[in-house]
Amino acid sequence: MRIVEARAWPTRLEFVRPVRTSIGEFRDRRSVLLGLTDDDGRTGYGEGAPWPGFGTETVEESLVVLETTCGLARGMDLEAGDWPVEIALGLRNASAARAAFQGALWDLAARRANVTLATHLARSVLPTGAGASSVVSTQALLLAAEPEEVRAEAARAREKGFQAAKLKVGAAKLEDDVERVRAARSGLGPGLRLRADANGAWTETQAAAALEAMAEFDLDYVEQPVAPHDVAAFVRLRQRVPVRLAVDESVATEEGALRLIGAGAASVYVLKPATLGGPARALEIASMVRHAGAEVVFSHAFESAVGARHALHCAAALGDASAIHGLDTAGLFRNDVAPAVECERGEMHLDAAPGIGVSP
């Protein structure tokens, strides 16, 4: 593919409601969009979406790297997954920028092939060459702070047809978290999957106490109960608590993901293409996780509709009908750069438009 134009530009989206995590409260989301245009006038899009706690470069650094990469890419013949050494070197320490560039190339390649990104990825990346799914199940994200609000939000998720919901924990006292988890289970009712995400907020001792206290609520799993770097504590914790554990921040980088997969450290791996260098590499890592006998959940990193669709197409390419992913972004922002995929009865349906299906 000959690239005749390449452009990177910053974007800022305002959350409808603040997003609370263990490292703070966020009212907006800043990222960098990238467009690569071929000599037939088609454009593929990617997004560089650094997120605190995931080991990426900053948004400002991502923009600088992508602007430099754009200058190199103009006039080059490029293929998805096959970059000249000068581009590879420029992107090697900037995983969010690398995700944007890889994503834009794969989106452009899918548009040129006149197939969805999911179909193109399934044919090109996965060892089985299995067909992509057109329907992806996804969880609800519970953002309310107070228990009664959490209960009401969980009940609405159940009424909308979601089969799973995730709640952030770890940012308050244990008794407060327990009451919020209790409220979430009450609102969801029995049978639906309830997931909690601590974002690495607890020490090993605190995590053990919290997971014991929450065991009665039949949690599907708890994400990242301890700090991402403390893999030994995670492994010890997994052996002593009655709740399945998932890794998220610990597998935010390729190196971290490969290390934990090799160690068989977790039951569930939450993978974000935005921090793993793009959709193709994230799918390769997902194949390794499944080969190791663990579960894959794809998730967004609160990106715009561009990055969120890349993650969605990864999940569709994987084709695991039993998985419920963390991909719903509809209604998350006051104004997105393109239409988000709507979630109906807990399912997201991919249309037949080529590539990711939208242009920002």
Side-chain angles (χ1 to χ4, degrees):
M1 303 180 291
R2 176 165 289 273
I3 305 301
V4 298
E5 184 53 68
R7 184 170 71 96
W9 66 100
T11 187
R12 175 185 171 275
L13 304 177
E14 184 182 356
F15 288 116
V16 171
R17 288 189 295 173
V19 171
R20 297 170 60 248
T21 74
S22 63
I23 59 175
E25 183 176 274
F26 298 86
R27 297 184 177 275
D28 59 19
R29 182 67 166 107
R30 295 168 59 232
S31 65
V32 183
L33 297 177
L34 174 70
L36 300 176
T37 303
D38 68 8
D39 50 7
D40 290 324
R42 299 183 185 90
T43 302
Y45 296 96
E47 182 170 4
W51 185 249
F54 281 85
T56 63
E57 72 277 19
T58 66
V59 174
E60 292 78 11
E61 290 167 341
S62 192
L63 178 59
V64 169
V65 169
L66 285 172
E67 287 177 336
T68 300
T69 305
C70 285
L72 294 171
R74 293 187 189 99
M76 277 189 172
D77 287 313
L78 299 174
E79 296 299 329
D82 184 18
W83 311 341
V85 65
E86 57 266 43
I87 287 181
L89 287 173
L91 295 169
R92 70 187 185 283
N93 294 321
S95 59
R98 193 162 67 249
F101 192 73
Q102 187 192 85
L105 279 177
W106 279 102
D107 183 31
L108 179 56
R111 291 175 193 250
R112 287 169 62 91
N114 199 34
V115 296
T116 67
L117 175 60
T119 296
H120 197 56
L121 287 169
R123 292 173 180 174
S124 305
V125 177
L126 294 180
T128 61
S133 173
S134 62
V135 180
V136 174
S137 296
T138 190
Q139 67 192 12
L141 180 60
L142 307 179
L143 295 173
E146 299 301 321
E148 282 305 315
E149 295 173 354
V150 170
R151 183 179 289 105
E153 192 174 24
R156 288 194 296 271
R158 183 192 69 235
E159 292 162 2
K160 290 178 180 178
F162 285 96
Q163 296 300 304
K166 184 171 88 168
L167 178 71
K168 295 286 187 178
V169 295
K173 293 181 294 185
L174 175 57
E175 52 267 35
D176 294 336
D177 273 339
V178 169
E179 287 308 307
R180 293 176 68 248
V181 173
R182 187 191 308 278
R185 172 52 72 198
S186 174
L188 288 177
L192 273 65
R193 302 188 204 181
L194 175 58
R195 300 162 171 179
D197 184 3
N199 291 121
W202 295 319
T203 66
E204 183 178 352
T205 300
Q206 290 171 331
L211 295 172
E212 290 287 349
M214 296 176 185
E216 66 175 288
F217 304 118
D218 188 27
L219 293 171
D220 185 23
Y221 59 75
V222 175
E223 282 182 43
Q224 205 61 58
V226 295
H229 66 272
D230 202 348
V231 177
F234 186 95
V235 173
R236 288 193 300 268
L237 193 63
R238 186 186 180 201
Q239 295 169 347
R240 62 186 285 208
V241 298
V243 179
R244 288 201 308 163
L245 300 186
V247 280
D248 185 359
E249 287 90 341
S250 290
V251 293
T253 64
E254 296 178 55
E255 295 79 9
L258 296 176
R259 183 171 63 253
L260 267 73
I261 294 167
S267 300
V268 183
Y269 290 73
V270 181
L271 303 181
K272 292 177 168 61
T275 67
L276 289 171
R281 187 55 177 155
L283 266 179
E284 290 170 351
I285 291 171
S287 293
M288 297 177 200
V289 170
R290 295 177 72 186
H291 183 72
E295 181 179 334
V296 173
V297 172
F298 276 110
S299 180
H300 61 71
F302 298 107
E303 308 108 296
S304 77
V306 171
R309 282 175 180 257
H310 276 282
L312 172 62
H313 281 259
C314 277
L318 192 64
D320 184 353
S322 66
I324 301 180
H325 301 276
L327 298 168
D328 185 18
T329 60
L332 190 62
F333 301 111
R334 294 194 184 280
N335 292 290
D336 210 331
V337 300
V341 177
E342 293 295 329
C343 192
E344 300 175 3
R345 306 296 299 171
E347 295 180 337
M348 303 176 79
H349 294 254
L350 280 69
D351 59 33
I356 61 171
V358 295
S359 298

